[in-house]
Amino acid sequence: MDKIINELKFDEKGLIPAVVQDVATKEVLMTAYMNADTLKQTLETKLATFWSRSRGEVWIKGATSGNYLHVVSVKADCDGDCLVVFARPDGPACHTGNRSCFYRRIEGDELVTDTKQAGTSDILMREQAVIIDRKANPEEGSYTNYLFNKGEDKILKKVGEEAAEVVIAGKNRDKDEIKYETADLLYHLSVMLVDNGMTWDDIFEEMERRAQ
């Protein structure tokens, strides 16, 4: 580990900026700074750990709030002076309670709260992130947990039923019905993928391979 630490470029205070990104949705959650020790701790414990410049101490994200960032991987940029940390968040990344620290956008000379905080194009990943969390942390009354508890046969039966509903909707040429039934199908496909230890990234990878 010391070899890679020596290849990185820390500033005059021994710090390197780290951008944290949700591994499932790809949304940027926050930025902070690491030193050599907190980077090592992050890689060893798989919990995002930073150096607090304001407090002058080690800061394990979530140690107080419980909103830990479980690190999946860490990348360095081409110059070796900035890191991207891919993580699975336990809860809101921002101390304000927002999912991301970047919950405001610039409009003219004002900062406006972005109620979505993410584009609709990543809705599959955001929905699947919730499904993954439900599997890891079951909630009473959750339909997703009901499907996981019933098992593979129930999940696959629902995928088949929803696929048939999409076919019927398409045959009826009813746009509202098509939207509704397709959304149902995609949700159940997400559950099926998670049940098989997969995510939409696996599907996107295959689609990219075919597009080459």
Side-chain angles (χ1 to χ4, degrees):
M1 192 176 295
D2 288 336
K3 181 178 181 295
I4 187 60
I5 295 294
N6 292 332
E7 290 182 10
L8 296 174
K9 297 177 183 177
F10 296 86
D11 65 17
E12 65 278 1
K13 295 181 180 179
L15 301 175
I16 188 170
V19 179
V20 181
Q21 193 171 359
D22 189 312
V23 70
T25 68
K26 304 303 184 285
E27 182 179 15
V28 175
L29 300 176
M30 60 174 287
T31 60
Y33 286 83
M34 293 181 174
N35 58 25
D37 289 337
T38 58
L39 175 55
K40 288 180 182 178
Q41 186 172 334
T42 295
L43 295 173
E44 290 171 354
T45 65
K46 301 301 182 183
L47 292 177
T49 306
F50 308 102
W51 178 258
S52 172
R53 295 177 298 168
S54 60
R55 299 193 301 271
E57 63 184 17
V58 174
W59 165 38
I60 301 175
K61 174 63 179 175
T64 301
S65 65
N67 297 328
Y68 292 99
L69 292 169
H70 300 273
V71 177
V72 176
S73 64
V74 179
K75 289 186 178 181
D77 74 343
C78 56
D79 295 321
D81 59 4
C82 185
L83 303 174
V84 177
V85 178
F86 294 92
R88 290 193 175 93
D90 273 342
C94 185
H95 72 282
T96 63
N98 286 282
R99 184 173 66 249
S100 166
C101 291
F102 298 91
Y103 63 92
R104 299 179 295 175
R105 66 179 183 275
I106 298 174
E107 285 192 3
D109 59 355
E110 295 183 348
L111 286 174
V112 180
T113 298
D114 188 346
T115 55
K116 281 190 175 181
Q117 295 186 43
T120 55
S121 61
D122 70 351
I123 185 62
L124 279 177
M125 305 302 289
R126 287 188 281 132
E127 180 181 64
Q128 193 165 66
V130 174
I131 292 170
I132 291 170
D133 182 68
R134 289 290 185 275
K135 187 170 186 180
N137 305 289
E139 289 191 3
E140 185 176 354
S142 164
Y143 175 67
T144 301
N145 285 130
Y146 163 77
L147 291 175
F148 283 133
N149 291 336
K150 287 295 184 179
E152 178 185 70
D153 288 346
K154 179 65 173 180
I155 294 171
L156 294 178
K157 180 182 178 183
K158 289 300 297 182
V159 169
E161 290 175 354
E162 298 303 336
E165 293 292 341
V166 170
V167 171
I168 294 170
K171 185 67 175 176
N172 292 338
R173 305 190 69 79
D174 184 320
K175 292 182 179 179
D176 287 338
E177 187 180 352
I178 290 171
K179 286 190 295 183
Y180 184 89
E181 298 300 346
T182 300
D184 271 355
L185 174 59
L186 290 173
Y187 161 76
H188 286 92
L189 283 172
S190 282
V191 174
M192 184 271 291
L193 290 172
V194 173
D195 190 53
N196 281 277
M198 300 172 66
T199 70
W200 283 109
D201 277 335
D202 296 296
I203 309 306
F204 298 153
E205 180 181 339
E206 174 63 14
M207 293 174 72
E208 287 287 355
R209 186 189 67 78
R210 295 185 186 190
Q212 294 176 357

